[in-house]
Amino acid sequence: MKPVKVGLLGTGTVGGGTATVLKQNAEEIARRAGRGIEIDFAATLDLEQAKKVGLDHARLTTDAFEVVNDPDIEIVVELIGGYSPAKELVLAAIENGKHVVTANKALIALHGNEIFAAAQKKGVMVAFEAAVAGGIPIIKAIREGLAGNRIEWLAGIINGTGNFILTEMRDKGRDFDDVLKEAQELGYAEADPTFDVEGIDAAHKLTILASLAFGIPLQFEKAYTEGITKITAEDVAYASELGYRIKHLGVARRTVRGVEMRVHPTLIPHRRLIANVDGVMNAVLVQGDAVGPTLYYGAGAGDTPTASAVVADLVDVTRTLTADPNNRVPHLAFQPDQLSDLWVMPIEEIETAYYLRLQADDRPGVLADITRILGDLEISIEAFLQKEPREGVDKAEIILLTNRVQEAAMIKALQQIEALQSVADKVTRIRLETLG
Ligand code: HSE
């Protein structure tokens, strides 16, 4: 059988990696897919660079629309990233009856509902394994491997850049900006690095995972997002003293009232495997009612790790080229007419435990005022640390871990504590999950 002709959009980090992996493992890939898979036409902004990554035998253009409109191309691989023109290109490819493979989490999280509906209408597939956690086959695991389960919750370290920064800060006491620069040089960071450090990239990925896990439409706008830019070296050290690691976690949980979808810095007990996922590595912990907890770990960014997921999708699409469109694995794991409209809860409604750090006067009664505010709101203290005033500072540092409470109660408590004469500045609040 003739090889499948692929049109590649973008020859940057992941595009280059995809060309490399397809070439390097061509024979094994053909044995798996039943046909060879060849990049026949590629769109690039840098023709020389495209040749360098081994695309010298492919047709090359600087106009990506030429590729999606080419009659010979059966599968379009979109690795440009961003919202536009990626969206227009993907919709044009679908309209032309081509299957699509994409690594574009922003595109799927924001426009996936529209894209999948268009693909459904045309009977083509849109595969996006590389959009979440790079090389980890987490989408296949949730969509297919865990299909027998009711998924209760999942929690993931799904931004390599953020995890790399937090790890380097903890281990080497390095500067935030310095580590971010290194991540950019290594090709891990997004074009706009605020997407990494403010949690937007992780929220894109979490939105996708929540839809696959619970069978709900993609609702990026309802995900709560908080970045890691305010985490200090002190917080990292105190968390450690109390037996925790601070990770930038994406959490999706099904509760009796609705669905939680949130990305924020989180204290995790250091004995949990996921708390020990360091550097650019990603991990996703999934709790299914039948299987219990399962953990998926691997490289969350980078050229060939992400290409590994792109090529797996290419093999999947190639295998199903002849299959009846109604008998394919559904885009969002559940049949399109079976998605449910579960309520996505605002952050005030979620329940979690907390780490609090505050500076207070070192005199009798101060701690009593703080604990009374917490007690009146039914917030119980689980652990406590007090550090003597540092030199030149007249306030003592108090660190508290609380039990699980509704965020609305914690907001009220923080307002009252911050209003105390004896307490300085803002209270640092980091959520805590035991993930048990
Ligand atoms: N910027 C992303 C990360 C790349 O750091 O994880 C992979 O999506």
Side-chain angles (χ1 to χ4, degrees):
M1 216 181 220
K2 275 194 187 154
V4 177
K5 290 190 172 175
V6 171
L8 178 67
L9 312 181
T11 59
T13 305
V14 184
T18 301
T20 303
V21 173
L22 280 174
K23 204 168 189 176
Q24 181 178 301
N25 299 336
E27 202 193 312
E28 295 262 305
I29 290 166
R31 284 174 59 212
R32 289 196 169 107
R35 295 166 74 172
I37 300 176
E38 261 178 32
I39 298 174
D40 176 56
F41 201 2
T44 179
L45 291 177
D46 185 344
L47 294 168
E48 282 317 303
Q49 180 220 24
K51 287 182 188 151
K52 251 188 244 156
V53 296
L55 289 168
D56 31 355
H57 298 299
R59 291 178 287 150
L60 296 175
T61 175
T62 51
D63 178 6
F65 282 94
E66 265 188 45
V67 177
V68 300
N69 291 326
D70 188 285
D72 286 346
I73 297 300
E74 288 174 84
I75 310 173
V76 169
V77 178
E78 185 275 306
L79 301 175
I80 293 178
Y83 305 115
S84 186
K87 182 183 173 195
E88 292 76 16
L89 287 162
V90 164
L91 288 174
I94 292 169
E95 187 54 36
N96 291 336
K98 301 184 194 310
H99 301 276
V100 173
V101 171
T102 178
N104 192 333
K105 51 260 160 150
L107 180 70
I108 297 297
L110 268 85
H111 303 295
N113 298 325
E114 180 187 345
I115 289 169
F116 298 149
Q120 190 78 17
K121 219 163 107 195
K122 278 282 178 179
V124 296
M125 292 179 68
V126 177
F128 51 96
E129 181 65 68
V132 182
I136 306 175
I138 186 63
I139 290 180
K140 194 172 260 299
I142 294 179
R143 193 156 56 182
E144 299 174 48
L146 299 177
N149 288 260
R150 178 181 164 87
I151 294 174
E152 291 164 348
W153 56 263
L154 59 87
I157 295 172
I158 42 182
N159 182 269
T161 302
N163 202 42
F164 182 60
I165 292 174
L166 287 177
T167 306
E168 291 287 299
M169 283 173 72
R170 187 195 71 216
D171 289 352
K172 302 184 187 148
R174 284 178 68 188
D175 242 24
F176 186 90
D177 292 333
D178 171 41
V179 191
L180 175 60
K181 198 162 155 270
E182 187 182 341
Q184 283 172 306
E185 281 161 9
L186 292 168
Y188 301 147
E190 294 303 300
D192 177 351
T194 59
F195 272 40
D196 294 301
V197 296
E198 296 298 354
I200 300 160
D201 176 74
H204 287 146
K205 295 165 180 167
L206 183 73
T207 300
I208 297 171
L209 291 179
S211 289
L212 295 165
F214 308 136
I216 55 174
L218 296 150
Q219 297 162 83
F220 170 72
E221 69 290 352
K222 294 192 183 150
Y224 172 81
T225 307
E226 193 179 302
I228 54 169
T229 50
K230 295 193 183 81
I231 300 294
T232 65
E234 285 82 28
D235 292 321
V236 172
Y238 296 149
S240 182
E241 208 172 311
L242 291 160
Y244 293 81
R245 295 265 168 93
I246 300 180
K247 292 291 179 190
H248 203 189
L249 210 64
V251 179
R253 191 189 304 270
R254 196 197 309 243
T255 78
V256 284
R257 292 186 305 133
V259 166
E260 293 179 7
M261 243 196 324
R262 49 192 169 98
V263 173
H264 48 70
T266 313
L267 270 78
I268 309 172
H270 70 81
R271 61 182 183 279
R272 295 264 176 262
L273 271 176
I274 196 167
N276 294 283
V277 171
D278 286 335
V280 76
M281 301 308 271
N282 280 195
V284 184
L285 180 58
V286 185
Q287 174 77 24
D289 65 344
V291 70
T294 52
L295 180 67
Y296 308 84
Y297 168 84
D303 52 5
T304 55
T306 311
S308 161
V310 171
V311 174
D313 275 350
L314 279 169
V315 170
D316 254 4
V317 174
T318 303
R319 281 174 179 153
T320 57
L321 281 177
T322 50
D324 167 6
N326 290 322
N327 287 321
R328 292 181 186 146
V329 181
H331 290 115
L332 287 180
F334 291 71
Q335 296 301 332
D337 59 355
Q338 294 296 315
L339 295 185
S340 59
D341 59 356
L342 287 174
W343 180 52
V344 181
M345 295 153 75
I347 194 71
E348 294 77 16
E349 299 274 342
I350 67 109
E351 210 184 86
T352 183
Y354 294 86
Y355 159 102
L356 306 177
R357 175 168 61 83
L358 48 107
Q359 271 102 32
D361 291 342
D362 196 11
R363 59 176 168 76
V366 170
L367 202 54
D369 288 343
I370 295 167
T371 54
R372 188 180 25 78
I373 292 172
L374 294 172
D376 286 351
L377 287 158
E378 306 275 317
I379 301 172
S380 164
I381 296 167
E382 302 287 310
F384 172 82
L385 264 184
Q386 179 169 349
K387 301 282 171 185
E388 284 179 355
R390 273 174 279 161
E391 252 190 50
V393 181
D394 63 344
K395 297 225 178 322
E397 197 141 48
I398 295 169
I399 299 101
L400 299 166
L401 300 187
T402 76
N403 67 335
R404 291 178 73 82
V405 290
Q406 213 179 49
E407 179 116 347
M410 182 52 74
I411 293 171
K412 229 182 254 171
L414 292 184
Q415 281 165 352
Q416 292 178 26
I417 293 172
E418 283 169 356
L420 292 173
Q421 287 290 327
S422 50
V423 173
D425 297 335
K426 281 197 81 66
V427 176
T428 297
R429 175 225 50 196
I430 307 176
R431 298 175 187 86
L432 184 157
E433 293 287 345
T434 52
L435 303 180

